[in-house]
Amino acid sequence: MSEPTIEDYYVEDRTFPPSADFVKNAVVADRSHYEEATEDYEAFWARQARELLTWDEDFHTTLEWNLPYAKWFLGGKLNVSYNCLDRHVNAGYGERIAYFWEGEPGDTREISYAELLDEVSRFANVLKQLGLQKGDRVAIYMPMIPELPVAMLACTRIGVAHSVIFGGFSPDAIIDRCEDAEAKLIITADAGYRRGVPSALKVNVDAALDQGASSVRHVVVVNRCDTEVVMAEGRDLWWHELMADSSSECPAEPMDSEQLLYLLYTSGTTAKPKGIMHTTGGYLTQVAYTHKTIFDIKREEDVYWCAADIGWVTGHSYIVYGPLTNGCTSVMYEGTPDTPLPEFRSGEDRADWSKDRLWDIVERYGVTQLYTAPTAIRTFMKWGAADPKAHNLNSLRVLGTVGEPINPEAWMWYHENIGNENCPIVDTWWQTETGGHMISPLPGVTTTKPGSACHTIPGVFAELVDDDGNPVEQGGGYLTITHPWPSMLRGIWGDDERYRDTYWSTYENRYFAGDGAKIDGDGYLWLLGRVDDVMNVSGHRIATAEVESALVDHSSVAEAAVVGATDEITGQAIIGYVILRGGNEPSESLGEEIRAHVATKLGPMARPKAVFLVPDLPKTRSGKIMRRLLRDVAEGRDLGDTTTLADASVVAEIRDRASSDPQED
Ligand code: WTA
């Protein structure tokens, strides 16, 4: 027998079936979608496309698949903004709230579908006046304000592709992305509120345009914070001035199903960012289907909240396109969870401020679905349960997570402290490249297991394979997707070769996602992180995610990151970095106890060689742990590229700890 691709240590046997009450009213309450899609997945997606969307012209062919290029719903014509707005207004739902928007300082707006349509139409006319045409690309670099979805939808109305650049990125990132896409326009704001103060954006655009991005002809600026900005004559224009003069008559233009909808750049670990291409009909079908069924959306009653940033794919698919296509009411929040409303900020020192803004928002708006990331959940664990306990969270019905493997203990904490043991948790695995959810429970059907994303959704097919590409029936392997899916990426902008190499060349005839996973005896999938995050300890291939879950399983641990550091004897040695839950003091004996806990949970093979109790962990701005930097620290190297690091001071602190008090053999 060949040696296992990734070994399988963590055993989790708690299970949570949906309650009878939930099943009774669930959008999907039985296995019929799975059965239909297994029978004929093209017909299944064709039905979803026709039922969930409004087409100007029906499609004649569901799928054309010339590996690795897919086209969905050929011959079909539709407009995304029409599907998100006009048709709801035409059907008499113009007064329904599309977004309850809340700024960080506490200013609010209730934006109805009719108002959103009005603003989108006016901004689409602005785009036309600025000379933009179907097929052009526009960069958007904005805070989480209503003008951001307005700008995106206005692009879709006239067939312009947007490229949203996350507001936390630097001028260099703006240059790279605008140059690669040859963007003609940047839409930005003076600043946005973050952590209690305006965080400048326009200056970064200015810096970028001083150095490069010469394709950009105009910059449209929203005045969000009233901070001082320099407006370049002829180039820079105020949003409010353009909008004041713009007509709200702007018919939605029917687009080909395969019309480019947007580019979203994702960074590889080293090389230049990849412009992931998404198109119209297939993308909208899958995000609408998954949003509706996985969050169990009842648009008449629900107040849905995805607490991500629109700068990431999660925000594209599950703040903008999915929820609006389904005509539901969402919350959109500008700021950070640890910035309370001004009246609740006690004193000047941020450290004294309460960290309950999310729970405050859930209570005030009666949020029914909350979608957030494991990294946020572990941060809430670290802050303690007192903040959520101080609020009435009974309106919540479904909880979601995305972005990283969720450790069983974090799942249980979410279940108990936020869901009041009463809300199904949907752990959704997907990627910028997949456009929409791929692996997730259906809340009214699936019996969940804490830490498992469970099964592929109806119409999506995955298989684990070993190093040689042979299917793995049980245990660890590489996660591959075996059939095309409607919201799959259509390529990398301007780089077909990289598209083939990155996703389609590792295993023949399969999409390789870059993630490891394991499948248990009941056929449940457990995501194990990026395959670069697999360690090799004395010949055993152990996933960092499993050791992290065992660390977080200890009652004093809130969050953990594990890396393999080069070791003369074992090849790699497991090094853990641990953040304690509120109320625990670091000590040598606690570190020892935590190491021993991993050995009990996973076996002695997985016991970390050292555990460092640290105040914080280095993360990217989207909240993923930068294990590469922790490896640099563990191996005593200079740090490599730190441009994507959210807070650079964290690494210095970890270094200090790591050199002073290792819990080591
Ligand atoms: C990881 C975010 C485990 C995974 C939507 C993937 C997850 C990468 C999960 C994509 C999950 C996302 N469980 N891991 N539920 N969801 N990931 O492009 O490694 O920002 O490949 O898309 O996040 O990140 P991206």
Side-chain angles (χ1 to χ4, degrees), residues 87-160:
R87 62 173 182 154
H88 306 314
V89 175
N90 297 346
Y93 302 118
E95 297 305 305
R96 183 182 292 151
I97 302 300
Y99 293 113
F100 286 113
W101 176 80
E102 182 159 311
E104 199 182 65
D107 47 340
T108 58
R109 270 188 75 186
E110 289 184 3
I111 306 155
S112 69
Y113 274 89
E115 284 165 329
L116 196 56
L117 173 58
D118 181 84
E119 291 193 23
V120 166
S121 302
R122 282 194 286 146
F123 197 68
N125 278 326
V126 168
L127 293 174
K128 285 191 205 165
Q129 272 157 27
L130 293 175
L132 288 148
Q133 291 175 356
K134 185 168 159 181
D136 286 343
R137 278 85 50 208
V138 159
I140 300 180
Y141 180 67
M142 287 172 95
M144 283 285 287
I145 54 177
E147 288 83 351
L148 170 52
V150 168
M152 294 163 75
L153 290 160
C155 289
T156 73
R157 202 160 182 85
I158 59 169
V160 166

Side-chain angles (χ1 to χ4, degrees), residues 122-326:
R122 282 194 286 146
F123 197 68
N125 278 326
V126 168
L127 293 174
K128 285 191 205 165
Q129 272 157 27
L130 293 175
L132 288 148
Q133 291 175 356
K134 185 168 159 181
D136 286 343
R137 278 85 50 208
V138 159
I140 300 180
Y141 180 67
M142 287 172 95
M144 283 285 287
I145 54 177
E147 288 83 351
L148 170 52
V150 168
M152 294 163 75
L153 290 160
C155 289
T156 73
R157 202 160 182 85
I158 59 169
V160 166
H162 56 71
S163 159
V164 178
I165 303 170
F166 174 59
F169 280 142
S170 61
D172 282 348
I174 302 174
I175 297 175
D176 289 348
R177 287 158 173 75
C178 286
E179 288 188 345
D180 189 70
E182 296 172 275
K184 290 189 178 157
L185 171 72
I186 302 181
I187 306 164
T188 187
D190 63 327
Y193 287 101
R194 268 196 92 69
R195 300 171 65 83
V197 288
S199 165
L201 293 167
K202 172 67 163 60
V203 285
N204 293 338
V205 172
D206 294 340
L209 295 182
D210 281 349
Q211 296 163 49
S214 57
S215 57
V216 175
R217 298 194 296 226
H218 289 291
V219 180
V220 174
V221 188
V222 176
N223 182 11
R224 162 65 184 136
C225 301
D226 238 345
T227 57
E228 207 163 306
V229 293
V230 180
M231 297 291 278
E233 180 81 42
R235 186 193 75 186
D236 299 354
L237 305 156
W238 285 109
W239 173 287
H240 57 270
E241 291 178 1
L242 295 167
M243 288 289 268
D245 299 336
S246 183
S247 148
S248 62
E249 274 304 306
C250 181
E253 290 174 36
M255 299 293 154
D256 192 272
S257 177
E258 283 297 332
Q259 173 74 28
L260 182 67
L261 177 62
Y262 67 78
L263 300 178
L264 185 58
Y265 284 82
T266 91
S267 27
T269 33
T270 47
K272 80 171 192 153
K274 311 184 277 266
I276 302 300
M277 296 163 65
H278 283 292
T279 60
T280 301
Y283 174 81
L284 208 61
T285 299
Q286 191 163 340
V287 299
Y289 174 75
T290 49
H291 175 256
K292 182 172 173 182
T293 59
I294 289 170
F295 297 116
D296 195 56
I297 297 293
K298 319 270 169 42
R299 66 175 173 194
E300 318 293 330
E301 299 139 41
D302 284 337
V303 179
Y304 157 90
W305 185 19
C306 168
D309 192 292
I310 293 177
W312 311 116
V313 74
T314 304
H316 283 59
S317 299
Y318 298 106
I319 298 178
V320 182
Y321 294 117
L324 295 177
T325 302
N326 289 330

